[in-house]
Amino acid sequence: MSVLLLGADYYGTLAAARCYGKNGIDVTMADDNPQARGLYSRWVTRKLSHPSIKSPNDLVDWLVQWGERHPGTLLYPPNDHLSWLFAEHRDRLGKHYEMYSPSEAVIATLLDKSRLHEACAAVGIEVPETHDLGPEGANSPIVSRLKFPVLLKPRTQIFMEGGVKGIIVEDRASLGPELERYRSMARFNKVLTDKHPGIAEPMVQEYLTAAETNIFSVSGFVSKDGEFVARAAMKVLQRPRKVGIGLCFEGREVELALLDKLQALCKHIGYHGAFESEFIVMGDRRLLIDFNPRFYSQMGFDVARGLRLPLLVWHAARSDRSMLSRELDKAQSWKATGREVYCHKTMLDLVLTLQGLSGQMSRSDVKRWRKWYADHRSAATDAVRDPEDQKPAMIDAMQWVSHFAKHPRSFVRSFVLNR
């Protein structure tokens, strides 16, 4: 009855630790950062230090050695890097751990936007217009057909050791310089590029302003037998607002037509496990921009809404059909009140204060967002705050202060200037 959780600084890992611990499952957590917020959860019974993620082969060796001493422990990924790495070494790791990881080909298809878009086309899921520039770069014939502004973004985040989530390119003249800037920042570990040459090249995607305010997420679990359960939410505020990380989400009804397409995608590719998918909403259209085959940041929101994904993975990995069915039934029977929301309150307060002072957010918008939280407070799930598990929130605040001190320009750009 034990689980090994990596990625202790991820909010999804913290949510998993809390869910497992509250259900009597022994939690071991490991990270290469001894100050990682998740390590301070009351539900973590054993804290370990592992080799850096920048040395993936050493990390796999460490995992194998630990698994040999603790056979039968559950191992499940918290991020793109480990999702791919666990799948790549599934046979080796699976000798010692309980796992619920598909093949490397499945994970690579979901996390490489180029391959994901091909799979989406096969099942009728819309995606934003996206092109590979190829070796010609800014001189590619495709450029003449682009409608600017466009978004320059990586094909994948797997083992990306430096770079950005996306760069908005305003016009054709800016594409060449921005492409050079992207390539100067984007660095990938050889463990990935040796297996997938060319994956480090960026893609150029139509920039849709709806992505600033209309990101619809569908998250959930799919079993090897195709059983499917999901929750939906709308990202209503992100930082920075054009291309950024979600701060506030509101619960939404799951759209059955979209659910059918996601089921078809998982079946077509062969995926099973926990997932989070993101869509840009444009009227009646839903354009897929991400599919994360793993635990994810706001997973605590779904746990609070009756979808205990960590337990679904636990029962499925252990092939406990009766308990898996029971947990799926519980998740399916949960009823929303319509008031459920999720936010990172510490970051929300910081953004409202600083962008209000800088003029990047109007006084009326600041007031509106403060009222939004006040109206939903009783039904709100926080990214890190928990009255029964308070230390991670304290460490979280300290880590952000430290980050701001080390990266003042990034702090000003993101939190103050909203860029």
Side-chain angles (χ1 to χ4, degrees), residues 240-251:
R241 273 173 279 170
K242 287 191 174 182
V243 183
I245 300 167
L247 283 180
C248 300
F249 294 78
E250 294 179 351

Side-chain angles (χ1 to χ4, degrees), residues 15-268:
R18 287 168 170 169
C19 183
Y20 284 131
K22 290 176 182 179
N23 285 277
I25 297 169
D26 185 77
V27 177
T28 297
M29 192 176 289
D31 203 281
D32 57 356
N33 172 18
Q35 302 303 316
R37 54 181 66 83
L39 294 171
Y40 292 84
S41 171
R42 61 172 288 197
W43 301 109
V44 175
T45 57
R46 188 183 295 109
K47 306 174 185 179
L48 305 176
S49 177
H50 63 62
S52 171
I53 191 87
K54 295 181 179 180
S55 302
N57 292 326
D58 292 341
L59 177 55
V60 172
D61 289 342
W62 181 90
L63 284 168
V64 169
Q65 292 168 13
W66 199 87
E68 288 175 342
R69 298 193 301 272
H70 305 84
T73 298
L74 174 67
L75 183 67
Y76 200 74
N79 57 37
D80 288 355
H81 317 305
L82 295 177
S83 182
W84 180 82
L85 192 68
F86 290 178
E88 171 72 355
H89 295 275
R90 183 179 62 171
D91 291 343
R92 188 179 176 199
L93 293 170
K95 293 178 181 179
H96 312 290
Y97 292 94
E98 299 287 358
M99 300 180 70
Y100 207 61
S101 294
S103 69
E104 188 277 338
V106 169
I107 297 300
T109 297
L110 290 169
L111 295 179
D112 176 357
K113 295 294 191 301
S114 183
R115 296 169 66 174
L116 174 61
H117 289 185
E118 291 178 5
C120 286
V123 298
I125 294 178
E126 284 192 89
V127 299
E129 181 180 346
T130 309
H131 301 280
D132 291 318
L133 293 176
E136 298 96 339
N139 297 316
S140 170
I142 293 170
V143 175
S144 63
R145 306 203 305 269
L146 299 178
K147 295 180 181 179
F148 289 87
V150 295
L151 187 62
L152 194 63
K153 61 187 301 183
R155 280 176 54 176
T156 187
Q157 296 289 331
I158 303 172
F159 281 102
M160 192 177 192
E161 297 177 346
V164 293
K165 191 176 181 70
I167 298 174
I168 298 174
V169 182
E170 298 293 345
D171 50 47
R172 183 171 180 175
S174 303
L175 181 59
E178 293 289 23
L179 188 57
E180 288 185 16
R181 183 164 75 96
Y182 170 88
R183 286 175 172 159
S184 70
M185 294 188 296
R187 300 182 304 277
F188 290 83
N189 194 296
K190 287 178 82 285
V191 73
L192 176 71
T193 53
D194 283 351
K195 187 176 183 69
H196 296 284
I199 200 171
E201 286 299 304
M203 306 177 76
V204 62
Q205 186 175 95
E206 63 175 327
Y207 178 69
L208 302 171
T209 56
E212 298 177 22
T213 55
N214 292 285
I215 297 294
F216 185 72
S217 69
V218 180
S219 48
F221 176 86
V222 56
S223 74
K224 289 181 179 179
D225 295 327
E227 298 155 304
F228 211 91
V229 60
R231 296 288 183 266
M234 183 70 79
K235 184 195 294 185
V236 292
L237 185 65
Q238 61 185 11
R239 170 196 60 83
R241 273 173 279 170
K242 287 191 174 182
V243 183
I245 300 167
L247 283 180
C248 300
F249 294 78
E250 294 179 351
R252 292 288 191 272
E253 289 291 327
V254 176
E255 299 178 2
L256 297 182
L258 202 56
L259 200 63
D260 288 342
K261 290 182 178 180
L262 284 171
Q263 286 181 278
L265 178 66
C266 291
K267 182 177 181 180
H268 175 71

